[in-house]
Amino acid sequence: MTYSYNLDRDLLADYDGTYPFTPHFTDAPGFAMHYVDEGPHRGETVLCLHGEPTWGYLFRHLIPVLSSDYRVIVPDHMGFGKSATPQNRSYWLQDHIDNLERFVLALDLREITLIMHDFGGPVGMGLAARHPERIRRLITTNGPTPFGQFSLGDRLSANVAISPWFQWVVQAVKDGNLEAVLGQLGFNILSTLKLNGFENHALITDTWLAAYGSHFADPSECLGAIGWAKGYATGAHKFEVPNAKTIRMIRTKPAMAIWGESDRTLHAEHFLPLFTELFPDASVHRLAGVGHYCLEDAPDEVGRLIADFIHRN
């Protein structure tokens, strides 16, 4: 199998000490999948799932908050972060669910608290649909939670009408230039992140930009970001549809939603009801002045909410 993979950069970079976690790798999904594995290897597991176009760096503030009490595992999806970018694979939602399932089974993770951001939501819910018995809690942080709700299609359509990111993706696919633009993420990562939405511009440092941009050094390393965007515009992503028994099982799990209300990509008005349809009694925290990347804009508040929720449930 061919990898687009720079061993020195991907294995050793800790970005001026801002990501000081030992790198781990497994080939269980059929490529070199990187993950952080911090905390005690007993009891419960917290599994953090990033989205587009980020990687495990998004959870750098949360890992130390939880790892004193729980095993915290943060994988990088195929084509993102320190994971390899196979050149002969497709990058649709169902591929990422397959990869995550193989990863979880290889590590035999149980008693899992899912923490999901952006497309980590559909990936994590896909895992929950296949293995509800391994899930203990679910937490969404500006991430959709599709789980067989009939309203999903209408909510996706309504959201794209007011989302600059999805409007651009759809038009770029029509114009035939999506690959050309997203293939240069190493250079335009800041504009891409800003289009999706963060409010705290004090985040922008050379280290921060290097952490998010360096893994997209050339077009061959951008297949993950391209695939996720293109899959939406072309309808290639297939959401996992659970059976009635699985839906009943997941509805019994403690769940919480955290949503930055200034999210310009995934609007609360369309996606929080998707969550409350599934978990009508769950707690929902709407954070004013916080954007799509809530774990960047408000790491302390998000960390406190998550730690309190896990301890109480």
Side-chain angles (χ1 to χ4, degrees):
M1 183 173 293
T2 301
Y3 298 140
S4 175
Y5 194 52
N6 184 314
L7 239 156
D8 290 337
R9 186 194 73 231
D10 288 344
L11 277 176
L12 302 179
D14 70 356
Y15 303 100
D16 296 331
T18 61
Y19 204 65
F21 311 112
T22 302
H24 299 268
F25 289 85
T26 177
D27 62 359
F31 62 95
M33 189 175 202
H34 168 263
Y35 62 101
V36 165
D37 190 345
E38 298 284 317
H41 283 216
R42 64 182 185 275
E44 301 178 28
T45 297
V46 176
L47 181 60
C48 302
L49 303 175
H50 71 83
E52 171 91 322
T54 60
W55 58 289
Y57 193 76
L58 181 73
F59 297 101
R60 66 194 180 280
H61 300 296
L62 185 62
I63 294 169
V65 171
L66 301 178
S67 59
S68 59
D69 297 312
Y70 307 101
R71 183 181 184 185
V72 181
I73 295 183
V74 186
D76 296 336
H77 298 301
M78 180 173 66
F80 293 88
K82 297 186 180 186
S83 287
T85 305
Q87 302 296 293
N88 59 346
R89 294 278 298 267
S90 57
Y91 287 80
W92 312 138
L93 168 59
Q94 56 271 29
D95 300 307
H96 290 299
I97 296 173
D98 289 345
N99 294 338
L100 182 64
E101 179 183 37
R102 292 171 188 143
F103 174 81
V104 165
L105 295 179
L107 273 64
D108 194 24
L109 302 181
R110 300 175 184 273
E111 295 291 302
I112 296 171
T113 295
L114 285 172
I115 300 179
M116 304 168 285
H117 179 260
D118 192 80
F119 83 74
V123 176
M125 298 308 290
L127 174 71
R130 296 182 185 184
H131 299 280
E133 75 286 352
R134 291 179 181 263
I135 307 301
R136 177 156 183 164
R137 308 177 190 86
L138 301 96
I139 301 170
T140 176
T141 59
N142 287 75
T145 51
F147 211 66
Q149 301 97 324
F150 292 118
S151 65
L152 176 61
D154 289 341
R155 296 195 184 285
L156 289 171
S157 297
N159 183 72
V160 75
I162 57 173
S163 167
W165 166 254
F166 284 110
Q167 290 171 2
W168 177 81
V169 165
V170 171
Q171 190 60 48
V173 168
K174 289 180 180 178
D175 295 342
N177 60 18
L178 184 137
E179 288 88 347
V181 175
L182 291 187
Q184 300 297 320
L185 269 177
F187 299 100
N188 59 33
I189 189 66
L190 180 57
S191 59
T192 301
L193 290 170
K194 289 180 71 173
L195 182 62
N196 279 295
F198 60 89
E199 299 300 302
N200 181 13
H201 289 183
L203 293 167
I204 305 171
T205 65
D206 289 344
T207 298
W208 188 82
L209 288 171
Y212 281 124
S214 63
H215 299 288
F216 299 119
D218 62 63
S220 69
E221 295 185 338
C222 298
L223 297 183
I226 292 169
W228 185 255
K230 189 172 184 178
Y232 174 82
T234 62
H237 296 318
K238 304 301 179 187
F239 293 91
E240 197 76 15
V241 179
N243 60 35
K245 179 181 177 181
T246 298
I247 293 173
R248 289 195 297 271
M249 286 182 65
I250 289 298
R251 278 182 165 162
T252 68
K253 313 288 185 179
M256 178 176 68
I258 301 171
W259 213 277
E261 290 192 316
S262 296
D263 192 333
R264 297 189 296 275
T265 293
L266 299 173
H267 291 258
E269 65 192 272
H270 299 305
F271 288 106
L272 276 179
L274 197 67
F275 174 83
T276 55
E277 283 181 45
L278 186 61
F279 303 109
D281 298 322
S283 56
V284 175
H285 301 273
R286 300 177 65 137
L287 307 183
V290 173
H292 177 65
Y293 301 106
C294 62
L295 289 137
E296 291 284 4
D297 273 346
D300 293 341
E301 185 172 6
V302 171
R304 177 184 59 78
L305 288 169
I306 290 174
D308 288 350
F309 171 76
I310 294 176
H311 292 324
R312 285 187 288 103
N313 293 277

